[in-house]
mmCIF file of all heavy atoms in Angstrom:
data_model
loop_
_atom_site.group_PDB
_atom_site.id
_atom_site.type_symbol
_atom_site.label_atom_id
_atom_site.label_comp_id
_atom_site.label_asym_id
_atom_site.label_seq_id
_atom_site.Cartn_x
_atom_site.Cartn_y
_atom_site.Cartn_z
ATOM 1 N N LYS Y 255 9.784 -49.750 11.634
ATOM 2 C CA LYS Y 255 10.835 -49.532 10.647
ATOM 3 C C LYS Y 255 11.367 -50.867 10.161
ATOM 4 O O LYS Y 255 11.656 -51.048 8.973
ATOM 5 C CB LYS Y 255 11.958 -48.704 11.275
ATOM 6 C CG LYS Y 255 13.196 -48.586 10.428
ATOM 7 C CD LYS Y 255 14.245 -47.750 11.109
ATOM 8 C CE LYS Y 255 15.495 -47.643 10.238
ATOM 9 N NZ LYS Y 255 16.481 -46.716 10.827
ATOM 10 N N SER Y 256 11.507 -51.805 11.056
ATOM 11 C CA SER Y 256 11.882 -53.163 10.689
ATOM 12 C C SER Y 256 10.636 -53.895 10.214
ATOM 13 O O SER Y 256 9.700 -54.093 10.985
ATOM 14 C CB SER Y 256 12.482 -53.891 11.891
ATOM 15 O OG SER Y 256 12.689 -55.248 11.591
ATOM 16 N N PRO Y 257 10.573 -54.283 8.956
ATOM 17 C CA PRO Y 257 9.324 -54.863 8.431
ATOM 18 C C PRO Y 257 8.910 -56.174 9.081
ATOM 19 O O PRO Y 257 7.756 -56.607 8.924
ATOM 20 C CB PRO Y 257 9.632 -55.057 6.940
ATOM 21 C CG PRO Y 257 11.108 -55.043 6.828
ATOM 22 C CD PRO Y 257 11.624 -54.186 7.930
ATOM 23 N N SER Y 258 9.821 -56.804 9.822
ATOM 24 C CA SER Y 258 9.444 -58.051 10.502
ATOM 25 C C SER Y 258 8.670 -57.786 11.780
ATOM 26 O O SER Y 258 8.071 -58.697 12.349
ATOM 27 C CB SER Y 258 10.693 -58.874 10.809
ATOM 28 O OG SER Y 258 11.558 -58.159 11.665
ATOM 29 N N ASN Y 259 8.681 -56.548 12.250
ATOM 30 C CA ASN Y 259 7.924 -56.178 13.455
ATOM 31 C C ASN Y 259 6.576 -55.641 13.060
ATOM 32 O O ASN Y 259 6.434 -54.490 12.637
ATOM 33 C CB ASN Y 259 8.699 -55.136 14.269
ATOM 34 C CG ASN Y 259 9.813 -55.752 15.087
ATOM 35 O OD1 ASN Y 259 9.761 -56.924 15.421
ATOM 36 N ND2 ASN Y 259 10.815 -54.967 15.410
ATOM 37 N N THR Y 260 5.577 -56.487 13.177
ATOM 38 C CA THR Y 260 4.204 -56.096 12.885
ATOM 39 C C THR Y 260 3.309 -56.468 14.058
ATOM 40 O O THR Y 260 3.669 -57.310 14.890
ATOM 41 C CB THR Y 260 3.686 -56.792 11.611
ATOM 42 O OG1 THR Y 260 3.737 -58.207 11.797
ATOM 43 C CG2 THR Y 260 4.525 -56.419 10.398
ATOM 44 N N ASN Y 261 2.155 -55.860 14.101
ATOM 45 C CA ASN Y 261 1.206 -56.129 15.167
ATOM 46 C C ASN Y 261 -0.194 -56.003 14.593
ATOM 47 O O ASN Y 261 -0.431 -55.192 13.681
ATOM 48 C CB ASN Y 261 1.425 -55.134 16.313
ATOM 49 C CG ASN Y 261 0.955 -55.683 17.641
ATOM 50 O OD1 ASN Y 261 0.265 -56.695 17.699
ATOM 51 N ND2 ASN Y 261 1.337 -55.019 18.721
ATOM 52 N N TYR Y 262 -1.109 -56.803 15.120
ATOM 53 C CA TYR Y 262 -2.472 -56.817 14.603
ATOM 54 C C TYR Y 262 -3.478 -56.856 15.748
ATOM 55 O O TYR Y 262 -3.231 -57.489 16.789
ATOM 56 C CB TYR Y 262 -2.710 -58.055 13.727
ATOM 57 C CG TYR Y 262 -1.858 -58.111 12.481
ATOM 58 C CD1 TYR Y 262 -0.622 -58.730 12.493
ATOM 59 C CD2 TYR Y 262 -2.297 -57.530 11.295
ATOM 60 C CE1 TYR Y 262 0.168 -58.772 11.362
ATOM 61 C CE2 TYR Y 262 -1.517 -57.572 10.149
ATOM 62 C CZ TYR Y 262 -0.285 -58.189 10.193
ATOM 63 O OH TYR Y 262 0.495 -58.231 9.057
ATOM 64 N N ALA Y 263 -4.612 -56.214 15.531
ATOM 65 C CA ALA Y 263 -5.725 -56.394 16.448
ATOM 66 C C ALA Y 263 -6.222 -57.828 16.328
ATOM 67 O O ALA Y 263 -6.167 -58.436 15.249
ATOM 68 C CB ALA Y 263 -6.848 -55.417 16.104
ATOM 69 N N SER Y 264 -6.725 -58.382 17.416
ATOM 70 C CA SER Y 264 -7.161 -59.776 17.406
ATOM 71 C C SER Y 264 -8.297 -59.996 16.407
ATOM 72 O O SER Y 264 -8.429 -61.076 15.828
ATOM 73 C CB SER Y 264 -7.601 -60.202 18.805
ATOM 74 O OG SER Y 264 -8.631 -59.360 19.282
ATOM 75 N N SER Y 265 -9.080 -58.950 16.154
ATOM 76 C CA SER Y 265 -10.234 -59.081 15.264
ATOM 77 C C SER Y 265 -9.837 -59.234 13.796
ATOM 78 O O SER Y 265 -10.659 -59.650 12.979
ATOM 79 C CB SER Y 265 -11.149 -57.864 15.413
ATOM 80 O OG SER Y 265 -10.440 -56.668 15.111
ATOM 81 N N VAL Y 266 -8.596 -58.892 13.459
ATOM 82 C CA VAL Y 266 -8.179 -58.960 12.061
ATOM 83 C C VAL Y 266 -7.005 -59.911 11.847
ATOM 84 O O VAL Y 266 -6.618 -60.160 10.690
ATOM 85 C CB VAL Y 266 -7.794 -57.561 11.513
ATOM 86 C CG1 VAL Y 266 -8.937 -56.577 11.739
ATOM 87 C CG2 VAL Y 266 -6.508 -57.042 12.139
ATOM 88 N N LYS Y 267 -6.458 -60.408 12.919
ATOM 89 C CA LYS Y 267 -5.309 -61.298 12.781
ATOM 90 C C LYS Y 267 -5.686 -62.510 11.938
ATOM 91 O O LYS Y 267 -6.785 -63.042 12.050
ATOM 92 C CB LYS Y 267 -4.834 -61.735 14.168
ATOM 93 C CG LYS Y 267 -3.392 -62.190 14.196
ATOM 94 C CD LYS Y 267 -2.906 -62.331 15.626
ATOM 95 C CE LYS Y 267 -1.427 -62.664 15.634
ATOM 96 N NZ LYS Y 267 -0.893 -62.803 17.005
ATOM 97 N N ASP Y 268 -4.788 -62.943 11.078
ATOM 98 C CA ASP Y 268 -4.987 -64.070 10.154
ATOM 99 C C ASP Y 268 -5.847 -63.714 8.965
ATOM 100 O O ASP Y 268 -6.036 -64.555 8.069
ATOM 101 C CB ASP Y 268 -5.586 -65.292 10.867
ATOM 102 C CG ASP Y 268 -4.693 -65.825 11.968
ATOM 103 O OD1 ASP Y 268 -3.464 -65.710 11.836
ATOM 104 O OD2 ASP Y 268 -5.236 -66.331 12.970
ATOM 105 N N ARG Y 269 -6.378 -62.478 8.907
ATOM 106 C CA ARG Y 269 -7.136 -62.029 7.733
ATOM 107 C C ARG Y 269 -6.457 -60.844 7.052
ATOM 108 O O ARG Y 269 -6.546 -60.697 5.834
ATOM 109 C CB ARG Y 269 -8.554 -61.633 8.121
ATOM 110 C CG ARG Y 269 -9.381 -62.768 8.682
ATOM 111 C CD ARG Y 269 -10.849 -62.359 8.831
ATOM 112 N NE ARG Y 269 -11.016 -61.238 9.755
ATOM 113 C CZ ARG Y 269 -11.607 -60.089 9.432
ATOM 114 N NH1 ARG Y 269 -12.069 -59.891 8.211
ATOM 115 N NH2 ARG Y 269 -11.735 -59.126 10.342
ATOM 116 N N PHE Y 270 -5.800 -59.983 7.841
ATOM 117 C CA PHE Y 270 -5.154 -58.791 7.306
ATOM 118 C C PHE Y 270 -3.642 -58.958 7.362
ATOM 119 O O PHE Y 270 -3.112 -59.578 8.289
ATOM 120 C CB PHE Y 270 -5.541 -57.559 8.119
ATOM 121 C CG PHE Y 270 -6.976 -57.125 7.989
ATOM 122 C CD1 PHE Y 270 -7.928 -57.895 7.330
ATOM 123 C CD2 PHE Y 270 -7.382 -55.911 8.532
ATOM 124 C CE1 PHE Y 270 -9.245 -57.478 7.220
ATOM 125 C CE2 PHE Y 270 -8.694 -55.473 8.436
ATOM 126 C CZ PHE Y 270 -9.626 -56.269 7.778
ATOM 127 N N THR Y 271 -2.965 -58.367 6.392
ATOM 128 C CA THR Y 271 -1.507 -58.375 6.367
ATOM 129 C C THR Y 271 -0.999 -56.984 6.029
ATOM 130 O O THR Y 271 -1.410 -56.394 5.017
ATOM 131 C CB THR Y 271 -0.967 -59.370 5.326
ATOM 132 O OG1 THR Y 271 -1.475 -60.679 5.606
ATOM 133 C CG2 THR Y 271 0.556 -59.411 5.373
ATOM 134 N N ILE Y 272 -0.125 -56.480 6.877
ATOM 135 C CA ILE Y 272 0.484 -55.176 6.638
ATOM 136 C C ILE Y 272 1.873 -55.389 6.048
ATOM 137 O O ILE Y 272 2.572 -56.342 6.410
ATOM 138 C CB ILE Y 272 0.546 -54.347 7.947
ATOM 139 C CG1 ILE Y 272 0.896 -52.885 7.650
ATOM 140 C CG2 ILE Y 272 1.502 -54.964 8.954
ATOM 141 C CD1 ILE Y 272 0.725 -51.974 8.867
ATOM 142 N N SER Y 273 2.247 -54.510 5.132
ATOM 143 C CA SER Y 273 3.571 -54.599 4.530
ATOM 144 C C SER Y 273 4.017 -53.199 4.119
ATOM 145 O O SER Y 273 3.199 -52.277 4.039
ATOM 146 C CB SER Y 273 3.560 -55.540 3.321
ATOM 147 O OG SER Y 273 2.696 -55.053 2.310
ATOM 148 N N ARG Y 274 5.310 -53.066 3.869
ATOM 149 C CA ARG Y 274 5.819 -51.759 3.466
ATOM 150 C C ARG Y 274 6.766 -51.902 2.295
ATOM 151 O O ARG Y 274 7.478 -52.909 2.186
ATOM 152 C CB ARG Y 274 6.519 -51.056 4.632
ATOM 153 C CG ARG Y 274 7.732 -51.735 5.193
ATOM 154 C CD ARG Y 274 8.160 -51.077 6.507
ATOM 155 N NE ARG Y 274 8.466 -49.669 6.316
ATOM 156 C CZ ARG Y 274 8.338 -48.737 7.255
ATOM 157 N NH1 ARG Y 274 7.901 -49.061 8.453
ATOM 158 N NH2 ARG Y 274 8.648 -47.484 7.000
ATOM 159 N N ASP Y 275 6.764 -50.913 1.434
ATOM 160 C CA ASP Y 275 7.665 -50.842 0.293
ATOM 161 C C ASP Y 275 8.337 -49.478 0.367
ATOM 162 O O ASP Y 275 7.766 -48.476 -0.079
ATOM 163 C CB ASP Y 275 6.899 -51.016 -1.018
ATOM 164 C CG ASP Y 275 7.801 -51.069 -2.241
ATOM 165 O OD1 ASP Y 275 8.937 -50.548 -2.172
ATOM 166 O OD2 ASP Y 275 7.372 -51.617 -3.264
ATOM 167 N N ASN Y 276 9.520 -49.437 0.934
ATOM 168 C CA ASN Y 276 10.193 -48.154 1.126
ATOM 169 C C ASN Y 276 10.630 -47.527 -0.189
ATOM 170 O O ASN Y 276 10.803 -46.309 -0.265
ATOM 171 C CB ASN Y 276 11.392 -48.316 2.055
ATOM 172 C CG ASN Y 276 10.976 -48.525 3.508
ATOM 173 O OD1 ASN Y 276 9.797 -48.394 3.845
ATOM 174 N ND2 ASN Y 276 11.930 -48.866 4.342
ATOM 175 N N VAL Y 277 10.804 -48.329 -1.227
ATOM 176 C CA VAL Y 277 11.163 -47.770 -2.541
ATOM 177 C C VAL Y 277 9.986 -46.959 -3.082
ATOM 178 O O VAL Y 277 10.163 -45.863 -3.610
ATOM 179 C CB VAL Y 277 11.557 -48.886 -3.516
ATOM 180 C CG1 VAL Y 277 11.766 -48.324 -4.913
ATOM 181 C CG2 VAL Y 277 12.815 -49.594 -3.028
ATOM 182 N N LYS Y 278 8.780 -47.509 -2.914
ATOM 183 C CA LYS Y 278 7.580 -46.803 -3.368
ATOM 184 C C LYS Y 278 7.051 -45.846 -2.311
ATOM 185 O O LYS Y 278 6.042 -45.164 -2.551
ATOM 186 C CB LYS Y 278 6.495 -47.805 -3.762
ATOM 187 C CG LYS Y 278 6.861 -48.648 -4.973
ATOM 188 C CD LYS Y 278 5.719 -49.553 -5.376
ATOM 189 C CE LYS Y 278 6.078 -50.344 -6.634
ATOM 190 N NZ LYS Y 278 4.979 -51.250 -7.053
ATOM 191 N N ASN Y 279 7.695 -45.845 -1.130
ATOM 192 C CA ASN Y 279 7.265 -44.955 -0.045
ATOM 193 C C ASN Y 279 5.795 -45.181 0.317
ATOM 194 O O ASN Y 279 5.040 -44.232 0.564
ATOM 195 C CB ASN Y 279 7.495 -43.493 -0.425
ATOM 196 C CG ASN Y 279 8.049 -42.673 0.716
ATOM 197 O OD1 ASN Y 279 8.721 -43.197 1.601
ATOM 198 N ND2 ASN Y 279 7.784 -41.377 0.698
ATOM 199 N N THR Y 280 5.429 -46.450 0.381
ATOM 200 C CA THR Y 280 4.029 -46.822 0.567
ATOM 201 C C THR Y 280 3.919 -47.998 1.527
ATOM 202 O O THR Y 280 4.774 -48.889 1.520
ATOM 203 C CB THR Y 280 3.385 -47.187 -0.784
ATOM 204 O OG1 THR Y 280 3.473 -46.071 -1.669
ATOM 205 C CG2 THR Y 280 1.923 -47.568 -0.618
ATOM 206 N N VAL Y 281 2.882 -47.983 2.333
ATOM 207 C CA VAL Y 281 2.538 -49.100 3.200
ATOM 208 C C VAL Y 281 1.180 -49.640 2.751
ATOM 209 O O VAL Y 281 0.293 -48.865 2.382
ATOM 210 C CB VAL Y 281 2.497 -48.666 4.673
ATOM 211 C CG1 VAL Y 281 1.913 -49.761 5.556
ATOM 212 C CG2 VAL Y 281 3.894 -48.301 5.147
ATOM 213 N N TYR Y 282 1.044 -50.949 2.793
ATOM 214 C CA TYR Y 282 -0.165 -51.603 2.315
ATOM 215 C C TYR Y 282 -0.862 -52.345 3.452
ATOM 216 O O TYR Y 282 -0.221 -52.792 4.413
ATOM 217 C CB TYR Y 282 0.172 -52.601 1.209
ATOM 218 C CG TYR Y 282 0.886 -51.987 0.038
ATOM 219 C CD1 TYR Y 282 2.270 -52.087 -0.085
ATOM 220 C CD2 TYR Y 282 0.186 -51.295 -0.946
ATOM 221 C CE1 TYR Y 282 2.946 -51.510 -1.158
ATOM 222 C CE2 TYR Y 282 0.844 -50.721 -2.026
ATOM 223 C CZ TYR Y 282 2.219 -50.834 -2.110
ATOM 224 O OH TYR Y 282 2.883 -50.263 -3.179
ATOM 225 N N LEU Y 283 -2.163 -52.497 3.304
ATOM 226 C CA LEU Y 283 -2.936 -53.355 4.194
ATOM 227 C C LEU Y 283 -3.770 -54.274 3.306
ATOM 228 O O LEU Y 283 -4.749 -53.829 2.694
ATOM 229 C CB LEU Y 283 -3.834 -52.545 5.125
ATOM 230 C CG LEU Y 283 -4.585 -53.363 6.165
ATOM 231 C CD1 LEU Y 283 -3.607 -53.946 7.193
ATOM 232 C CD2 LEU Y 283 -5.655 -52.533 6.872
ATOM 233 N N GLN Y 284 -3.351 -55.520 3.219
ATOM 234 C CA GLN Y 284 -4.099 -56.515 2.455
ATOM 235 C C GLN Y 284 -5.162 -57.098 3.366
ATOM 236 O O GLN Y 284 -4.845 -57.611 4.442
ATOM 237 C CB GLN Y 284 -3.164 -57.618 1.950
ATOM 238 C CG GLN Y 284 -3.873 -58.711 1.179
ATOM 239 C CD GLN Y 284 -4.394 -58.224 -0.162
ATOM 240 O OE1 GLN Y 284 -3.666 -57.657 -0.961
ATOM 241 N NE2 GLN Y 284 -5.679 -58.456 -0.415
#
């Protein structure tokens, strides 16, 4: 719920970024 709390698998860390936009009710995975 707090967007600063994220976690990543070691295989994707530094390549993938998760983010959320509660206004758009959407979560992204770059």
